[in-house]
Amino acid sequence: IETAKPVETTAERLPFHLQSADDPTVEFAVAFAKTPDASSIGLGLDFYDGERLHINGIRPGLAQMFNEADSTGIKVDVGDYIMDVNGTSGDALEMLRLLREMKDVLVTFRKALEFKVVVQKGGKSGLGIKLGWSAESRSLVVIEVSGGPIEAWNTENPDKAVQLHDRILTVNGQQGKPAEMLAIIQHNSCCEFVVSRPRPSK
């Protein structure tokens, strides 16, 4: 008696699957399983704020394969945040290590909330924020808010208040190179920012 061979479905062959997506406009989770042919997630990641990973590039790898294969419209995008890897959250370096070293990873992605901030510097005074970045950064990270025009903006615009670990993506239309964006801030009295942070969970 011949027994039927198990039918291998496309889903079983794929080295990734959507784990959860109650509201993919805010957050979704994808399980990735690295293989010899696809041994990298393929994401450019900035860990500078120490708490979460900011996606600043997508290269050939499992994330790109997920984007190309998924039929639900859910995709990993540049600008998204990684909030959790295999149950670890709040530690960007540990999450980065897990992504690099573990064969199987469950990754929680959070979409970005972006908004505009316009501030006017008075005389030679600064903006009232300290900014930082790393070699991997494509944005400026707020590492301190300490009065000045930014505090005034926060008071007048509480729904768009600049907070610790927010990311400045553009300054007066310039994007991508943190040192150049910082130079624009230093040499212009009026600055328009596009600011990003993870969307609040519902």
Side-chain angles (χ1 to χ4, degrees), residues 88-142:
T88 293
S89 61
D91 186 337
L93 284 174
E94 179 61 14
M95 288 192 290
L96 187 64
R97 185 191 70 79
L98 291 170
L99 287 170
R100 288 174 174 172
E101 297 180 7
M102 301 299 290
K103 179 181 179 294
D104 300 311
V105 287
L106 177 60
V107 184
T108 300
F109 297 94
R110 183 82 58 84
K111 292 298 180 181
L113 171 67
E114 296 182 3
F115 55 94
K116 286 187 178 181
V117 172
V118 181
V119 288
Q120 187 84 28
K121 290 191 294 186
K124 295 183 178 180
S125 64
L127 289 174
I129 52 174
K130 290 184 180 179
L131 302 168
W133 69 93
S134 67
E136 295 79 14
S137 297
R138 304 282 290 172
S139 56
L140 293 165
V141 180
V142 177

